[in-house]
Amino acid sequence: MSRKPFYTVVALLFLAGLALSLYRHFVFEVPWLPGEQRQVWSIEAKVEFEATGKPVKASLAIPGTQPGFTLLNEAAASPGYGLSFLERNGGTRAEWTIRQASGPQELYYRVNMMADPHAESPTPVAVPEIAPHTDQEPYATAIHQVLSRALERSSDGFSLTRELIRELGSQQQNAALLAQYRPKPRLLVEMLNRAGIAARVVKGLTLEDGRRRQPLVDLLQVFDDGRVEVVDPATGEPGQIENMLLWERHSSPVLDLVGGVNSRVTFSMIRQQQPVAVALEQKFEDSNLLNFSIHSLPLEEQALFKGILLIPIGVLVVVLMRVLVGLKTSGTFMPVLIAMAFIQTSLVTGLIGFLLIVSMGLVIRSWLSHLNLLLVARISAVIIMVIGIISLFSVLAFKLGLTEGLKITFFPMIILSWTIERMSLLWEEEGAKEVLSQGGGSLLVAVLAYLAMNNDLIRHLTFNFLGLQLTVMAAVLLLGNYTGYRLLELRRFQPLARED
């Protein structure tokens, strides 16, 4: 019979699991390794002004998701004020309103921004119109001369910006004259517009941990040949400026105030490190069904699945040890359930508890065998006996101050009862040697399964990459097709090796 369909199914399972895992990693940015953290900036804008006793409307420009930063959440504190988030001129603004206010006023806006190299603006950046400019003499002549020299040494809008900044930073007479004419960022925008290059002044916030009353700085946003770059007016270098958040990106006022005077906006910030799972959960909380993740479930179900998803790893260990190594176990997958109990109790406590319960259970079970009971009654008696033993050990451990001993209640009582029953029957039919062989094999496989399932990397991968379950299934199917010798069976060939 052809094995092609079998290997086709195995290959499809493996490729599907790999594809799902890669999709989760590259699209939803889930890391391969546990313990990774993301840098999150918590920024607070404080608006202060003097209200004049009239209706007040304060409109503050606020940042959004942009290259280098993802907006996680935002909030505002405004006692007595109405608050709305409005879309205006392509950007978002927070608008506070109140019917009447007088005296000093303070409004607060807080936002959490995650440093994110994969972040992009949700909407394309609109190219500003090139506005005509007329200047009086002698400034018009100075602008013309500086622009002409810069045009000769440039090839595009970004290199022209760099050359203009270099010219204005020189000690020449024209540069000194223009420095008194207009602020440098506005002057650069006007000169770029004269050259047919779209540009505008935007406001950026330099992020420094623990800073208070930090002001905004002027930056240039230059558009040329379908590209847009933020340029530092001090250096002329285009590109993303490190730890620079664009707060206002559309040449609108940072604060537009009606009904108040003497206004100002200051910024405070702190840097935090958040686990990557928390940060990404906030980033993708509104994602569609393609974000197929356990994180979308309630926390109670997440905690449940965190243990359930480890079972296939334990099953894979059992299949490896039984099919390839040839170890005997008492029950096919009893070691997996014991390993799950070890995760709850810790390895040493679990081993001691398991050996004590099974040993005492075998002693009592040997007495029950003389009563010639029916199977159902005998198993029922063993279950009650196991519960009694666990209760006795728990109370004794508590009386002695051994709090670790209380974790023995995590053992699966029904499985322990069947284990005691099977070992007792095996003792009667095959002898103590076979009981020790299967019991020892079960414990060894349970310990190996525990080490695999309790590994931080394995726990991270199984919980965050559901596609891994398909690859584990593909591996189990391949192992199930193995018909060769097991490692422990090779001992039969030792006499032949001695003869050679």
Side-chain angles (χ1 to χ4, degrees):
M1 183 177 177
S2 174
R3 303 295 292 173
K4 289 183 179 179
F6 170 77
Y7 289 114
T8 301
V9 171
V10 170
L12 289 176
L13 285 172
F14 179 80
L15 292 176
L18 182 62
L20 286 173
S21 299
L22 292 174
Y23 180 80
R24 285 278 296 159
H25 175 69
F26 288 108
V27 176
F28 294 103
E29 305 170 23
V30 180
W32 296 116
L33 300 177
E36 291 192 22
Q37 294 186 328
R38 291 292 176 90
Q39 188 180 88
V40 176
W41 291 92
S42 184
I43 307 165
E44 183 179 81
K46 181 180 180 181
V47 179
E48 299 174 277
F49 62 92
E50 291 281 341
T52 58
K54 300 178 181 179
V56 174
K57 181 170 69 173
S59 177
L60 175 69
I62 57 177
T65 297
Q66 56 189 271
F69 295 93
T70 293
L71 188 150
L72 297 182
N73 51 65
E74 56 186 349
S78 50
Y81 281 79
L83 174 65
S84 300
F85 292 98
L86 307 175
E87 296 290 334
R88 289 184 179 173
N89 299 326
T92 305
R93 302 184 70 88
E95 186 174 276
W96 291 272
T97 55
I98 194 171
R99 177 61 62 180
Q100 184 179 11
S102 59
Q105 305 290 308
E106 293 183 352
L107 307 174
Y108 293 90
Y109 168 80
R110 174 173 291 184
V111 62
N112 288 328
M113 304 292 294
M114 178 178 69
D116 185 359
H118 306 287
E120 295 292 341
S121 298
T123 56
V125 181
V127 181
E129 295 182 359
I130 297 177
H133 295 277
T134 56
D135 298 287
Q136 299 177 352
E137 295 294 347
Y139 304 110
T141 301
I143 289 175
H144 176 73
Q145 292 178 356
V146 171
L147 183 58
S148 298
R149 286 195 298 269
L151 282 170
E152 293 175 358
R153 297 193 296 268
S154 64
S155 59
D156 57 18
F158 306 113
S159 58
L160 174 60
T161 305
R162 185 170 59 250
E163 292 302 324
L164 284 174
I165 292 174
R166 186 174 299 170
E167 286 289 333
L168 293 177
S170 66
Q171 301 298 322
Q172 297 182 5
Q173 183 178 358
N174 288 332
L177 177 64
L178 293 176
Q180 303 173 3
Y181 179 45
R182 283 181 183 164
K184 187 176 181 180
R186 287 185 55 195
L187 181 61
L188 286 169
V189 169
E190 178 182 334
M191 297 173 76
L192 288 170
N193 287 346
R194 284 175 175 267
I197 303 298
R200 62 187 169 201
V201 179
V202 296
K203 299 289 187 179
L205 180 65
T206 303
L207 301 178
E208 298 181 31
D209 187 27
R211 289 299 299 268
R212 300 174 62 249
R213 300 187 178 277
Q214 185 87 327
L216 296 176
V217 297
D218 288 333
L219 300 171
L220 290 180
Q221 200 172 46
V222 182
F223 301 78
D224 188 31
D225 195 22
R227 294 169 53 203
V228 56
E229 295 281 1
V230 176
V231 180
D232 187 348
T235 63
E237 292 298 325
Q240 184 70 29
I241 304 173
E242 185 178 2
N243 288 338
M244 179 66 71
L245 173 69
L246 296 185
W247 192 272
E248 198 290 311
R249 295 180 287 169
H250 303 89
S251 290
S252 300
V254 175
L255 177 64
D256 191 0
L257 179 64
V258 176
V261 295
N262 300 327
S263 63
R264 66 171 180 169
V265 184
T266 56
F267 301 86
S268 304
M269 66 207 72
I270 58 172
R271 181 177 58 197
Q272 307 174 61
Q273 295 292 334
Q274 282 192 4
V276 67
V278 176
L280 294 180
E281 182 180 0
Q282 296 179 49
K283 178 179 178 179
F284 296 111
E285 61 181 355
D286 296 326
S287 295
N288 54 28
L289 288 175
L290 292 178
N291 186 13
F292 197 71
S293 166
I294 298 298
H295 292 284
S296 59
L297 297 176
L299 288 179
E300 185 177 356
E301 280 69 23
Q302 287 188 40
L304 176 63
F305 273 100
K306 202 163 191 176
I308 291 176
L309 292 173
L310 292 172
I311 293 179
I313 303 300
V315 169
L316 180 60
V317 172
V318 172
V319 174
L320 283 170
M321 298 307 294
R322 293 198 59 161
V323 173
L324 295 185
V325 180
L327 278 177
K328 297 180 180 179
T329 61
S330 178
T332 307
F333 295 109
M334 184 271 285
V336 178
L337 299 176
I338 298 302
M340 292 290 292
F342 287 168
I343 292 176
Q344 301 294 330
T345 63
S346 78
L347 183 59
V348 175
T349 303
L351 282 173
I352 294 175
F354 178 81
L355 292 174
L356 287 175
I357 294 171
V358 172
S359 300
M360 184 172 289
L362 285 174
V363 172
I364 299 176
R365 171 59 181 80
S366 64
W367 174 76
L368 291 176
S369 62
H370 297 294
L371 301 180
N372 296 324
L373 299 175
L374 295 175
L375 176 62
V376 175
R378 190 169 65 241
I379 290 296
S380 301
V382 172
I383 292 174
I384 297 171
M385 173 196 67
V386 168
I387 294 174
I389 294 173
I390 291 176
S391 302
L392 177 63
F393 284 158
S394 298
V395 173
L396 185 61
F398 180 75
K399 293 292 186 180
L400 295 176
L402 304 174
T403 55
E404 285 292 318
L406 298 176
K407 297 179 180 179
I408 201 172
T409 55
F410 286 106
F411 276 109
M413 299 176 187
I414 304 298
I415 299 300
L416 282 177
S417 302
W418 273 107
T419 300
I420 293 171
E421 176 66 18
R422 295 183 64 171
M423 285 187 174
S424 180
L425 293 175
L426 190 65
W427 191 304
E428 296 172 358
E429 296 173 0
E430 303 290 341
K433 182 179 179 181
E434 189 65 21
V435 171
L436 292 176
S437 174
Q438 291 193 18
S442 298
L443 272 185
L444 177 59
V445 174
V447 170
L448 294 176
Y450 162 81
L451 294 176
M453 297 162 67
N454 202 44
N455 181 272
D456 288 338
L457 177 60
I458 297 297
R459 295 170 74 92
H460 171 78
L461 292 176
T462 54
F463 186 67
N464 291 283
F465 297 94
L466 292 181
L468 184 64
Q469 307 298 321
L470 298 179
T471 59
V472 171
M473 180 179 286
V476 169
L477 292 178
L478 278 178
L479 289 171
N481 197 42
Y482 179 74
T483 57
Y485 287 107
R486 295 169 173 82
L487 291 177
L488 294 181
E489 292 177 342
L490 298 180
R491 291 179 300 180
R492 296 184 298 171
F493 298 97
Q494 285 183 349
L496 295 177
R498 295 193 192 98
E499 290 179 7
D500 293 341

